[in-house]
Amino acid sequence: MPGGSENQTTTDERYASRLALTVNDVPRELTLDNRTTLLDTLREHLDLTGAKKGCDHGQCGSCTVLLDGQRVKSCLTLAVTLDGRSVLTVEGLAGPDELSPLQAAFIAHDAFQCGYCTPGQLCSARAMLDEVDQGWPSAVTEDLDAPAELTDAEIRERMAGNLCRCAAYPHIVAAVRETAAVR
């Protein structure tokens, strides 16, 4: 390309938007290309690399974060749609010098073989436990009039949107079950 670099990327201001997000309890103001996903915003603009880009199609769950307390696949979420919203990533699950009970249980149960899916698993498990506390049923909840009993089948169903290529599922289920028991 004459007069320019082929690898240079610029954002035309006509196709950019300003937005304000709260990420891990820190207010942030950004100007982003309208096509930027939440995942790319976190990783490339905010240096929060916990959420992983696995399939980039919303199928593996390695990019799972919490948006206003709900699980979302950040690779499928356009950042410009989130003005004024709150995002919690794996980096925000606990303080800088401590682990959350869920993170400690993942370590105790060896629920993170290679670790690639772990941030998404942790965020998903946190949201799943909150959903159970709020009385949300799943597809396998037997009694819709009683609080869900977190059986292994119930945990597996609720965590089904997060894949683990190392097959640490029994360890993940055990870690979630232990955390649920002490909540």
Side-chain angles (χ1 to χ4, degrees):
M1 228 172 132
S5 168
E6 294 173 304
N7 296 325
Q8 183 177 354
T9 356
T10 59
T11 301
D12 187 327
E13 289 183 23
R14 296 175 296 169
Y15 306 111
S17 297
R18 286 195 54 73
L19 69 142
L21 283 175
T22 299
V23 180
N24 298 332
D25 295 324
V26 177
R28 308 297 298 253
E29 290 193 14
L30 302 157
T31 301
L32 299 170
D33 182 300
N34 294 332
R35 301 165 292 182
T36 306
T37 64
L38 175 57
L39 177 60
D40 289 338
T41 300
L42 295 170
R43 294 182 61 79
E44 296 173 15
H45 298 276
L46 299 177
D47 294 323
L48 295 170
T49 58
K52 303 297 186 239
K53 186 175 280 199
C55 67
D56 213 19
H57 288 67
Q59 297 171 340
C60 73
S62 64
C63 68
T64 303
V65 298
L66 305 183
L67 177 62
D68 297 330
Q70 305 292 312
R71 300 181 252 196
V72 297
K73 307 285 177 71
S74 62
C75 73
L76 297 179
T77 306
L78 291 176
V80 297
T81 67
L82 306 178
D83 190 40
R85 310 278 299 271
S86 180
V87 177
L88 180 69
T89 69
V90 69
E91 291 92 344
L93 288 180
D97 298 323
E98 62 188 49
L99 297 174
S100 72
L102 189 58
Q103 290 168 316
F106 265 62
I107 291 170
H109 289 277
D110 194 25
F112 59 94
Q113 300 291 310
C114 78
Y116 195 83
C117 72
T118 304
Q121 296 278 1
L122 285 164
C123 286
S124 189
R126 162 78 179 271
M128 186 232 18
L129 291 170
D130 291 344
E131 292 163 7
V132 170
D133 289 347
Q134 295 167 22
W136 293 19
S138 79
V140 299
T141 303
E142 291 186 25
D143 184 353
L144 298 179
D145 294 321
E149 181 183 340
L150 275 183
T151 63
D152 288 359
E154 186 79 35
I155 294 169
R156 282 193 301 270
E157 170 63 25
R158 291 173 183 265
M159 293 292 292
N162 292 80
L163 303 178
C164 173
R165 289 163 180 87
C166 301
Y169 297 117
H171 307 286
I172 293 167
V173 169
V176 171
R177 189 179 343 97
E178 177 183 297
T179 304
V182 298
R183 277 176 67 117

